[in-house]
Amino acid sequence: MSAVGPRISLDVVATARSRLEAGRAALIDLDSEAEGPDPERARGGRRRGRSHAPVGGVRRVELATQLVDDVLGDLVPAAAELSGSPLVTLVALGGYGRRELSLHSDVDLLFVVGEAEELRSEEVFVEALLYALWDLGLEVGHSVRSVDATLKWAEGEQTVLSSLLDARLLPGGSGSAEERRRTFETVERGIDELVSRSETVRTIISAKEEEAARRRERYGGTVYLLEPNLKESAGGLRDLHAALWISRVRFKTHGLDELLRLGVLSPEEHRNLWRAYDFLLRVRFELHRITGRRQDHLRFDHQERIAEILEYMDAGESDLDRRKHGVERFMRAYYFHARNLRILSQGLLERATKVRPVRAGAARPTRGGFRRRGRTITVSGADHFVRDPSAMVRIFEVAQEDSLEIHPHAKHLVSEQRGLLDKAWRRDRRVVEPFLSILEDPKHDASMVEVMHDAGLLKQIIPEMNRVTGRWQHSLYHVYTVDVHALKVLDFGKRMRRGDFHETLPALSRMMADLPRPSVLLLGCLLHDIGKGWPREDHSERGARVAAAVGRRFEEASTPGWSAEDSADLVWLVQDHLLMSDISQRRDVSDPELVAQFASTVRTEERLEMLYLLTVVDMMGTSPKVWTSWKAALLAELFVHARAALLSEDGEGARRHFRARRVRAREALLTALEGGRESDAAEARAFFDAVPDRYLLTESTRRMTRHVRMWSGVRRYGGIAVHVVHLPREGVSALTVVAADRPGLLAVLAGVLAAHDLSIVNASVFSVESHPHLGPERQADPEMSVSLRDFHIRPDAAALAPRIALDVLRVTDASGHLADDSERWHRVRSDLEALLMDGADAEAELAPRIWRTKGLRPPRPAVKTEVELVGGQGDDVVIDVFCEDHVGVLWVIARTLAEHRLAITLAKISTQGHRVADGFYVRDAETGARVEADRLRAAATAVREALERALVPAA
């Protein structure tokens, strides 16, 4: 394109700009109209305060497309006049051709010109028009080609051919309207001839399958992304585009309506696909509106704003609940429609690509009255399920047992006729028995249950599943919707039973394989979070009531292998499915009373095993980051303690178990020190007598020997001892700090780590006596630096103290990854020495560094800050803290507790995505006594207020 050429007059461009701006403003204000049904009111979630039906996405993009057509109508005549009106046919491609433009979509144009070598006047027309469009701020993709060049272009590039399948002749152009029409028809005939060739059809189908695979690799293969791409993610608009392109070449159709008329789509499929398409276009329109640009990535902050625009917010809720529940309702609607679009588009693709005429006799009978075609199973006729609705479940049972796929035709019939499986059939043995058989089958994973779910059959068997289908959980902890999470948990349970994890989790795999009643556990996997379908209730309590209803239906079916006892244990599993994870991550599992109480709740060893297994697969199915070796160790420890308590007959099993563990730990420590100095053994015995039981139950012998030397060094020399070891397999660094005990020590440690962008994922805090009776103390030289094997001591004569803190912290970087930069840890040690030994002001030193990135946090779902007092043990009281996770949170909590003269004796750190769920055992910092209730309440209030101040993003 030339650098200089005639330009359309500023007056004409100004007129076009005015039309564009006024048209966009009118599009944004469309909700003042009341036209068309609201496609979301029935299924997408509650809508608040709307007095009229909104204008849907399809209507909006049609109007936005017409607006660009009108703007071109202002500009084209001026461009034609400048160029002498050569023959240029203007064609809309891609989304513009489909009439699918949103507010800021790019505009794809094809200028079809003649074959002559010299096309100066055509160049003038194209250049003048493009510069005017660019002046208006439109993003324009364009090409200039002859008819022959266009067809060769399409033949050589599949993306171009796809774009031309959506081509539309624009009303404007240069030259006579009749000539332009004939030119466009020539292009159309060429494209039709091209896609009629069988080799072209195969190439298109192969290209679209490869393109879909690339999209899945880049954007994820699941609909249920936290921040989906409306166009490219699974369930996005591109899935439908691909299905329509392939249908165009296979069935010679243009759009969904023609597919309905041909019978390729049923009326229900057509209606659901159209509603999904309409919804996604509406969301995309609002995304363009709030960002002011072309945008398809639906981020957390966008979700909140769109939920408010589309009136998913409830004015009767608090601000935080309104945002949280409003976004959950909106995203449930999104997932509902995206899932429908994915499933229905996939079904359309299967019909276009996989269904082939079958030779007579090629389908042979198989058991259950079905027919087998190759590696697929299908029905004997369209009325098969009408005659026997229970066959809808049996076909999945036979398919799983024989490792067959459900034929697309049979799947289509299940989706259409699933309503026949009504209330009475849910209590029929012919339905319940094959369903339990599918769950229990030890040879397969949960993929067949997932196919049942996609076909809508699962919620016919368990109608309560409808409440959680597509229900998003507004957090970074859960990366799946409730229904998909349940299927993931079931899948991990079935795979563990099959032996998929026998190398990585051998004990758990054996436990799962030996369960006498696997159906109870596997059904618990499926139902454990079903109570989240009632978001205003406690999901465990509500889930237990649902489990009871499901269990009763199965009992009424008189199904062999399902009894009232099974129902009772299923209800208990669902109600207490969080109990084991909560105790292991937020409580002191070395407390015999706590373990005994937990064991009395569990009652039997079999129920303990089922709860243990459910807890493990629940974590595995939550997200890849949730199940860690550290959490595995915590759960295993609680399991071992609880089993010991259950196996005792006098109720003293937990205490005897802990006493035996203490004896074994003492013997192992002394054995490890054999051959050394006698003073080392004396130090070890004194150390051993001083530490609490929970230390001995959580630390290995190797770590204890190191801790003895560190404690002994600080006892003799004062100062602090620091040791860091990196654990790549666990993705954490273990930091041990031994120093003179003092109020607020954990706050200093947390603050220093936060200042270096390090995050504490677990903290074990111990206070140990110095035991001066061991021998004369050596005077420490403050200038002396002592390195004792694998740790470093900075002495300080002034810091010799009666009690010594031994804090073991597991640390990652702010992103949750291993932080093994030696220089960073050298700076951490220097800061600790400055703050703990040189008298540096911790607040002045740390606060500016901790909060320097406060305003740069990425958008995340809102988290309510809660601080609860929940009892305790002995002189300790437990304070639970829930809030948004951020570098510096533990520093704020520990500093505030120290300001209220509370000592932290145990910190149980648990991070659930971007939500902190920590438990702190506290007592009086000066006397070590239990703190009175009023003072505890004041401290809890202060912690909540400090966190709320700290977590408000900087302006």
Side-chain angles (χ1 to χ4, degrees), residues 579-740:
L579 182 62
M580 202 165 183
S581 61
D582 284 348
I583 290 176
S584 65
Q585 293 177 47
R586 298 213 307 271
R587 296 295 178 262
D588 181 3
V589 297
S590 68
D591 176 14
E593 292 183 7
L594 177 73
V595 172
Q597 183 180 7
F598 172 63
S600 68
T601 301
V602 174
R603 291 208 328 252
T604 69
E605 188 177 5
E606 182 191 2
R607 295 213 316 180
L608 174 63
E609 289 179 346
M610 287 196 292
L611 181 60
Y612 183 24
L613 291 164
L614 176 57
T615 305
V616 170
V617 295
D618 187 12
M619 289 182 179
M620 294 172 74
T622 297
S623 88
K625 297 180 179 178
V626 169
W627 176 245
T628 65
S629 58
W630 178 246
K631 290 178 181 176
L634 295 175
L635 283 173
E637 185 180 2
L638 177 57
F639 173 77
V640 170
H641 298 342
R643 185 168 59 180
L646 286 169
L647 294 177
S648 70
E649 297 180 356
D650 57 3
E652 292 295 309
R655 297 186 191 282
R656 282 198 298 273
H657 170 70
F658 288 135
R659 285 197 296 270
R661 287 280 295 265
R662 184 179 181 91
V663 169
R664 288 197 300 271
R666 186 176 190 275
E667 291 174 350
L669 177 60
L670 293 175
T671 299
L673 292 171
E674 282 181 358
R677 296 175 304 170
E678 177 58 32
S679 60
D680 289 342
E683 296 270 355
R685 283 190 287 270
F687 174 81
F688 194 91
D689 291 339
V691 293
D693 283 346
R694 63 181 171 84
Y695 171 84
L696 300 170
L697 296 172
T698 57
E699 298 299 323
S700 68
T701 301
R702 185 175 64 178
R703 289 194 296 268
M704 282 194 288
T705 57
R706 183 191 308 123
H707 295 167
V708 168
R709 295 198 305 271
M710 294 175 76
W711 170 78
S712 178
V714 171
R715 186 188 74 80
R716 293 178 181 277
Y717 303 119
I720 62 172
V722 179
H723 175 267
V724 179
V725 62
H726 306 298
L727 308 171
R729 290 184 61 184
E730 299 180 31
V732 300
S733 300
L735 168 67
T736 304
V737 177
V738 179

Side-chain angles (χ1 to χ4, degrees), residues 201-262:
V201 173
R202 288 193 296 269
T203 302
I204 291 173
I205 291 173
S206 176
K208 292 305 169 189
E209 289 174 343
E210 291 175 5
E211 181 183 299
R214 289 194 298 271
R215 285 205 316 275
R216 287 193 296 271
E217 184 176 348
R218 180 175 179 183
Y219 294 98
T222 176
V223 166
Y224 306 99
L225 299 174
L226 293 174
E227 296 180 302
N229 186 296
L230 297 174
K231 194 172 183 179
E232 304 292 349
S233 292
L237 293 168
R238 194 59 83 199
D239 278 356
L240 178 58
H241 296 161
L244 291 176
W245 286 328
I246 292 177
S247 297
R248 165 89 155 81
V249 302
R250 176 65 71 188
F251 303 120
K252 313 306 178 193
T253 55
H254 292 78
L256 296 177
D257 291 348
E258 289 190 19
L259 290 167
L260 173 65
R261 283 195 293 272
L262 282 178

